Amino acid sequence: MRYLPLTAENRAEMLGVIGADTVDDLFTDVPEAARLKGPIEGLPLHASELAVERHMTRLAAKNLSAGAAPFFLGAGAYRHHVPASVDHLIQRGEFLTAYTPYQPEIAQGTLQVLFEFQTQVARLFGTDIANASLYDGSTACWEAIAMAGRITRRKKAVLSGALHPHYVATIKTMAKFTGDEIADAQPTVAPEPDEAGLIGRIDDATAAVVVQYPDILGRIGNLQTIAEAAHAKGALLIAVVTEPVALGLIEAPGKLGADIVVGEGQSLGVGLNFGGPYLGLFGCREKFVRQMPGRLCGETVDAQGKRSFVLTLSTREQHIRREKATSNICTNSGLCALAFSIHMTLLGGTGLARLAKTNHLRARQLADRLSGIPGIALVNSTYFNEFCVKLPTDAREVVRALADRGILGGVSLGRLYPDYEAIHGGLLVTATETTTTEDIEALAGALEDILAGEAA
Amino acid sequence: MNAVNPSGWRPAAPARAADAPESPTATGDRGLMLEEKLIFELGGWDQTGVDIEDVEGEVLGSLSGHLRAEKPALPGLSEPETVRHYTRLSRQNYAIDLGPFPLGSCTMKHNPRLNEKIARLPGFADIHPLQPTGTVQGALECINELAFWLMDLTGMHGVAMSPKAGAHGELCGILCIRAALEARGDSREVVLVPESAHGTNPATAAFANYRVEAIPATKDGRVDLAALKDRLGPDVAAVMITNPNTCGLFEPDMKAISDAVHEAGGFVYCDGANFNAIVGKVRPGDLGIDAMHINLHKTFSTPHGGGGPGSGPVVLSEALSPFGPLPYTARTNDGVVHLVEEEQADAFSEEHFGGVMRSFGRMAAFHGQMGMFTRALTYMLSHGADGLARVAEDSVLNANYILRSLEDLLDAPYAHSGPCMHEALFSDAGLAEGFSTLDIAKGLIDEGFHPMTVYFPLVVHGAMLVEPTETESKDGLDRLIVALRSVAERAKAGDEALHSAPHFTPRRRVDETQAARKPVLVWNGDPAPSGQPVPSEIGGR
């Protein structure tokens, strides 16, 4: 019980001050019948640091980590190299163990970081403003739809067929309870996303059109055309970026007419972490600021006129407006935002552009190699670092066969779209700066073997 | 001989603006307290602190038409400049590593470094959420093991692991309730929330499309059972109760409340933000609670770096368990831990649960806050069942020690109600004319402490909610008490200097009104010193 500093002497002395005989006398409001008389049965007693470390290390060792295998997974979570100084800096106790910056005079460090983070996100997305982060990309996406509903006073969201199916599922869960109408579609496994189909579904009741960029198959659509079509019907365009590194190379959604841009910030500084904690990015036009969810940091001055930062516009939030708040969200992903911001500061626009180029060229190398394998066809006509290939067999089986050979070979469309059998030959593969030529050869060689065995 | 500096250039001292704040130094720095510019004022548009391996090749048709016109206008810093920038900023922060965070209802305690070490093992940190489940059995075991700890500690039947923070957990619990009601064809519309609840409770109920009605508090700071019973009826879906509540008190009528709500056909949601006060001492399941989120980052410690991330698993009663979110983990008799997603949810439910599992759906893209799961499990194993009971005991002991050491000086509206739980509640009654809670908070900063929670709960005028947590030593508490007593005495005596506190911080009192009236949310200054953003070299149009 090394985390508990009170000694037996301390406890006795403090009980004396309180005027109680035993600690249990402080629990008298808990009905006697419900009070536990000893440690809960079936749970272990306290353990040494060494013993706990041994147990947890044994669990960790049962997993095949991305760095220990040729690795090609993406689909909303990407493996990038994180410079050592990022993790080192976020572990400084003054960042790591700070709470929400409610007292600005002694939280300027966190607040300045949030202000810098907001500016970085806004510039990356091409939006006027950004907030201080949300839980993750998928929940940020729902928050954007809810916000578009408040702005347009309409209840319908039209989703691109190529929006990440887990994002779609998250949105549908919420909409079931709020009564919003969600118009979605299955993806078309084609070289280009089905923009005409999407535009055809926008009508006068539409609050928001939601488009992923690049989309779930890695294709880069034409946001400008969709923005114009949405605006013509009085709807807002929400762009969803699951791979922010792409924006080092392709145009910012805000510059193409997106009204709200949300994203998953995990790619920069945060790491894979088996799905969480991740980092929801959220930017929008300045005129929507009072409808925005989440925390905001603003610039101001102190009593001596020095530039200072503070959490602001909290009258939108749940602790002031309660049931009328823009969202029930209370926390942000502060530490992940810090990691993102440090990584972005190390890169700068120049480094980000270079990183993006390296990602894209690795993906090209992968695409060239894979599309030369008999039976494999590249689907995409455009892509950044992720694309879809068609296999002659169910890709779920192939992924399992690759895992048996120690290769983490991509995400099968069958796992993402279990109910849409027509596309189960689809395999999503991703290459980043962490992918080597040897990794690509290992995947290609194994695929050749597996597919040849399949054919035989 | 060559001239060493033919241009004759020398750095000039910064020109001081006429209206510059008073500072005895040219830089504005004071000894080790450094004024740190924004990255946009420090960095260069061409500067970078990362060496990236070049790959042969040109950006060609696969991107054509989509290239950005200019590279992002983001400044870069070299690695040493980056390390200094963030290290300097960190020094302007208060943190639990420097002293107590006595924020009531926010619970911030010591963050064991073992947790950090474990969470960073590549087997946990460097795995992808969509890897074949055969390659992540250790991670799934970890989630499953944590789930059973949570069920055992709370005496509940099931647990939903995917909510990403406390408020997300509330949403999960309310959605489970809604799904359970809908499954029996019951469309109730109202959620009752006591006045003293966290603001997230009514916001959550409203977000799930419920109408929210308040339940008043009694004079001794608890839910008014009679008023609650009067309001119950066929339109009430749920009651959301915080227990221990935000006045720092245990609700002794909890079981009676649960029984009344159940009798009326509704469900009981408990806000479990304050579970650290009762963990190992009483199981919420024994009090008739149907759903309760647990802030892993509060009760079981996680760093929370400046406001998050958190993690909010929800424990569920037998009635609600079938409706929890996807994905979920389940261990079968062969020892395999399955990750049950949409793909096999129906088949799995049919085969292993007789078809009773009827998830309301997915709440987020992947399966929860793995980084917090590993930390929480590490913390639980370190404490064990015996240590966790002691956590509750020491947190309650510390809070009562604070309450009884200050009640002669500061108004404590519920001190007569008996022992408090993990937090002690005071008010600003009895301070000198014109002095308020804010003055005490800002005065405490000058004494080197983070202030307590102020102006919450709303049911008490000028509330001050002090939560020491169990990881504070008696010496540490005594120092806090000395500081609080001193500031309170000054506020009672009308010491004008308190109105302009804090005086010794990197920034004096910050103008929050200006920030809200004229919001400046992003940096809009001139480009960085090294020049304008340049069009991208990767052109290719």
Side-chain angles (χ1 to χ4, degrees):
Chain A
M1 296 185 211
R2 56 195 178 276
Y3 310 141
L4 302 175
L6 297 185
T7 63
E9 232 173 27
N10 292 152
R11 291 188 180 101
E13 215 177 318
M14 292 163 73
L15 283 169
V17 170
I18 294 165
D21 293 332
T22 68
V23 173
D24 273 335
D25 290 347
L26 303 176
F27 286 84
T28 44
D29 280 340
V30 181
E32 175 66 28
R35 248 182 283 167
L36 298 169
K37 303 299 180 284
I40 292 172
E41 278 177 39
L43 292 174
L45 301 183
H46 70 278
S48 71
E49 181 158 344
L50 176 63
V52 175
E53 193 172 333
R54 202 176 276 147
H55 176 79
M56 296 303 289
T57 306
R58 190 184 57 78
L59 281 181
K62 287 188 179 182
N63 303 318
L64 177 59
S65 64
F71 177 86
F72 299 91
L73 281 78
Y78 300 88
R79 182 162 196 266
H80 291 287
H81 175 252
V82 178
S85 47
V86 174
D87 194 46
H88 181 83
L89 286 167
I90 70 167
Q91 289 203 66
R92 278 192 67 88
E94 303 93 324
F95 282 133
L96 187 76
T97 73
Y99 197 75
T100 308
Y102 290 134
Q103 297 289 341
E105 295 86 0
I106 46 174
Q108 285 298 302
T110 289
L111 287 162
Q112 183 168 332
V113 166
L114 292 179
F115 186 78
E116 292 175 350
F117 168 81
Q118 287 173 182
T119 309
Q120 285 173 323
V121 172
R123 289 183 171 204
L124 185 69
F125 280 175
T127 52
D128 299 331
I129 54 171
N131 75 8
S133 79
L134 299 173
Y135 307 138
D136 76 344
S138 63
T139 51
C141 187
W142 165 256
E143 291 286 343
I145 290 172
M147 174 168 145
R150 290 192 294 273
I151 292 167
T152 60
R153 297 177 188 280
R154 298 175 180 180
K155 296 276 279 180
K156 178 177 172 183
V158 174
L159 312 188
S160 150
L163 176 61
H164 196 302
H166 291 175
Y167 285 45
V168 174
T170 302
I171 292 162
K172 283 184 167 173
T173 294
M174 287 307 303
K176 255 193 292 188
F177 297 99
T178 59
D180 288 71
E181 184 191 343
I182 304 297
D184 72 331
Q186 299 279 21
T188 51
V189 182
E192 303 283 344
D194 179 18
E195 275 155 18
L198 176 69
I199 288 170
R201 289 189 283 131
I202 306 171
D203 59 24
D204 292 335
T206 306
V209 181
V210 186
V211 180
Q212 188 175 321
Y213 173 84
D215 71 19
I216 183 65
L217 301 188
R219 302 168 303 187
I220 306 161
N222 195 339
L223 284 186
Q224 213 150 6
T225 318
I226 301 164
E228 282 160 18
H231 295 158
K233 299 276 187 190
L236 303 182
L237 174 62
I238 298 170
V240 182
V241 179
T242 61
E243 171 52 299
V245 174
L247 300 184
L249 210 49
I250 63 175
E251 192 55 273
K255 294 264 184 285
L256 300 171
D259 302 282
I260 304 171
V261 185
V262 295
E264 175 51 69
Q266 166 275 332
S267 274
L268 292 171
V270 178
L272 290 171
N273 289 314
F274 201 42
Y278 282 3
L279 172 66
L281 307 176
F282 197 110
C284 68
R285 297 188 189 282
E286 190 158 22
K287 64 181 174 185
F288 300 149
V289 64
R290 282 169 208 277
Q291 294 300 334
M292 211 177 187
R295 294 202 185 279
L296 291 169
C297 172
E299 184 186 317
T300 183
V301 292
D302 76 347
Q304 290 188 311
K306 285 186 177 177
R307 176 169 67 189
S308 310
F309 302 96
V310 66
L311 291 180
T312 192
L313 298 177
S314 54
T315 47
R316 304 163 299 118
E317 291 184 65
Q318 35 72 29
H319 58 274
I320 309 259
R321 296 261 290 169
R322 295 170 74 88
E323 69 266 28
K324 297 201 165 47
T326 56
S327 157
N328 75 330
I329 290 175
C330 179
T331 190
N332 66 337
S333 286
L335 198 67
C336 299
L338 172 67
F340 178 99
S341 195
I342 297 171
H343 195 170
M344 190 64 98
T345 297
L346 280 164
L347 286 166
T350 299
L352 183 69
R354 211 175 281 162
L355 178 65
K357 185 180 174 188
T358 296
N359 269 255
H360 180 60
L361 291 175
R362 279 287 181 223
R364 279 182 58 88
Q365 194 187 337
L366 179 65
D368 289 348
R369 180 68 178 87
L370 294 188
S371 53
I373 296 173
I376 296 185
L378 173 67
V379 171
N380 301 43
S381 66
T382 56
Y383 59 90
F384 169 62
N385 67 356
E386 179 170 35
F387 54 85
C388 181
V389 290
K390 252 189 210 154
L391 306 181
T393 177
D394 192 325
R396 281 178 290 189
E397 301 297 332
V398 175
V399 167
R400 276 192 279 268
L402 287 167
D404 289 342
R405 295 166 187 240
I407 296 168
L408 295 169
V411 178
S412 61
L413 291 188
R415 176 152 185 190
L416 292 174
Y417 297 96
D419 301 329
Y420 190 25
E421 244 171 71
I423 61 171
H424 287 188
L427 178 69
L428 288 176
V429 286
T430 306
T432 70
E433 76 285 358
T434 66
T435 312
T436 63
T437 304
E438 293 73 34
D439 293 339
I440 293 173
E441 274 312 310
L443 174 65
L447 278 171
E448 280 167 345
D449 275 6
I450 292 166
L451 294 181
E454 188 73 27
Chain B
M1 214 175 100
N2 291 329
V4 173
N5 180 5
S7 73
W9 185 85
R10 300 276 189 284
R16 285 174 54 82
D19 60 348
E22 203 53 47
S23 171
T25 58
T27 52
D29 297 342
R30 287 194 296 173
L32 288 176
M33 207 63 248
L34 305 169
E35 290 294 317
E36 186 63 11
K37 291 179 176 173
L38 295 165
I39 50 171
F40 310 97
E41 298 155 340
L42 290 168
W45 300 113
D46 300 323
Q47 178 69 277
T48 178
V50 182
D51 288 327
I52 291 155
E53 289 174 30
D54 280 326
V55 179
E56 295 274 311
E58 287 300 313
V59 176
L60 291 171
S62 42
L63 278 173
S64 84
H66 299 288
L67 281 174
R68 58 192 299 158
E70 291 180 343
K71 70 184 177 192
L74 295 164
L77 295 180
S78 67
E79 182 171 320
E81 289 172 307
T82 302
V83 170
R84 278 203 187 136
H85 176 68
Y86 289 98
T87 303
R88 288 173 170 190
L89 286 183
S90 74
R91 288 159 44 87
Q92 299 184 12
N93 265 7
Y94 189 91
I96 196 77
D97 282 0
L98 290 163
F101 250 106
L103 284 167
S105 272
C106 292
T107 317
M108 187 73 191
K109 58 169 81 163
H110 169 63
N111 176 59
R113 290 318 195 264
L114 176 63
N115 298 0
E116 296 305 301
K117 186 177 179 183
I118 297 300
R120 285 173 169 78
L121 293 173
F124 291 134
D126 195 23
I127 51 175
H128 191 284
L130 297 170
Q131 276 182 226
T133 54
T135 66
V136 287
Q137 279 296 299
L140 295 175
E141 269 184 45
C142 172
I143 297 176
N144 217 49
E145 195 173 329
L146 177 62
F148 277 92
W149 270 89
L150 292 172
M151 287 188 278
D152 286 349
L153 288 171
T154 56
M156 300 287 272
H157 191 266
V159 56
M161 298 298 289
S162 62
K164 290 187 161 282
H168 206 220
E170 288 175 27
L171 197 53
C172 176
I174 288 297
L175 297 188
C176 285
I177 289 170
R178 185 147 200 155
L181 287 168
E182 279 173 8
R184 70 179 194 215
D186 197 339
S187 56
R188 295 167 177 241
E189 291 164 355
V190 177
V191 168
L192 304 179
V193 185
E195 284 172 339
S196 63
H198 291 132
T200 47
N201 291 176
T204 296
F207 225 56
N209 217 13
Y210 280 112
R211 202 169 72 240
V212 178
E213 286 182 29
I215 295 291
T218 60
K219 279 201 178 68
D220 66 355
R222 295 181 167 110
V223 173
D224 187 331
L225 181 60
L228 176 77
K229 279 184 171 168
D230 280 352
R231 181 55 192 85
L232 287 173
D235 59 338
V236 175
V239 176
M240 295 182 90
I241 290 195
T242 304
N243 194 17
N245 71 23
T246 53
C247 297
L249 303 172
F250 192 85
E251 297 285 353
D253 294 331
M254 193 64 232
K255 188 72 172 68
I257 294 172
S258 300
D259 290 346
V261 175
H262 290 155
E263 201 170 310
F267 289 98
V268 180
Y269 186 88
C270 181
D271 183 320
N274 303 327
F275 187 52
N276 66 316
I278 56 169
V279 60
K281 301 296 287 182
V282 53
R283 290 179 303 194
D286 296 342
L287 301 171
I289 285 157
D290 292 293
M292 180 176 94
H293 75 268
I294 297 168
N295 298 73
L296 291 184
H297 51 293
K298 292 181 176 179
T299 300
F300 302 107
S301 92
T302 227
H304 213 53
S311 180
V314 179
V315 287
L316 299 166
S317 63
E318 195 166 359
L320 293 185
S321 288
F323 302 99
L326 292 170
Y328 61 87
T329 59
R331 186 198 290 271
T332 44
N333 291 336
D334 53 4
V336 175
V337 188
H338 303 264
L339 183 67
V340 185
E341 299 187 88
E342 290 87 342
E343 180 177 357
Q344 72 291 45
D346 288 343
F348 198 92
S349 169
E350 206 55 57
E351 192 174 339
H352 297 282
F353 300 109
V356 298
M357 296 295 270
R358 282 172 292 170
S359 168
F360 67 68
R362 192 178 276 266
M363 291 196 77
F366 302 115
H367 26 273
Q369 307 285 64
M370 186 65 192
M372 272 77 241
F373 298 162
T374 49
R375 287 174 174 92
L377 184 57
T378 302
Y379 189 80
M380 289 173 176
L381 290 167
S382 298
H383 270 303
D386 51 337
L388 288 173
R390 180 127 258 182
V391 161
E393 290 174 0
D394 283 1
S395 73
V396 171
L397 181 64
N398 280 356
N400 280 283
Y401 184 62
I402 297 265
L403 178 67
R404 300 307 167 193
S405 301
L406 289 166
E407 64 180 334
D408 63 318
L409 192 59
L410 275 174
D411 176 60
Y414 302 125
H416 65 276
S417 303
C420 62
M421 295 305 282
H422 57 298
E423 54 196 4
L425 181 62
F426 303 98
S427 89
D428 64 357
L431 302 185
E433 182 74 25
F435 284 77
S436 68
T437 293
L438 191 69
D439 298 306
I440 303 234
K442 300 299 182 188
L444 201 56
I445 293 176
D446 275 342
E447 301 287 345
F449 289 95
H450 194 283
M452 56 283 163
T453 292
V454 292
Y455 301 108
F456 182 84
L458 304 173
V459 286
V460 170
H461 185 271
M464 291 175 252
L465 196 52
V466 186
E467 176 165 5
T469 83
E470 73 282 0
T471 55
E472 293 309 317
S473 68
K474 178 171 177 297
D475 280 352
L477 294 179
D478 287 341
R479 280 195 294 275
L480 176 62
I481 289 163
V482 166
L484 264 166
R485 288 193 72 90
S486 162
V487 177
E489 274 166 6
R490 289 167 60 200
K492 289 186 113 169
D495 180 350
E496 282 299 324
L498 273 185
H499 281 320
S500 52
H503 301 97
F504 311 123
T505 43
R507 287 292 178 272
R508 299 289 296 276
R509 207 173 281 202
V510 169
D511 188 345
E512 305 196 20
T513 313
Q514 179 183 318
R517 208 165 275 166
K518 289 185 270 175
V520 179
L521 306 174
V522 292
W523 186 80
N524 281 317
D526 293 330
S530 69
Q532 298 282 339
V534 292
S536 169
E537 71 204 34
I538 45 174
R541 294 187 166 213

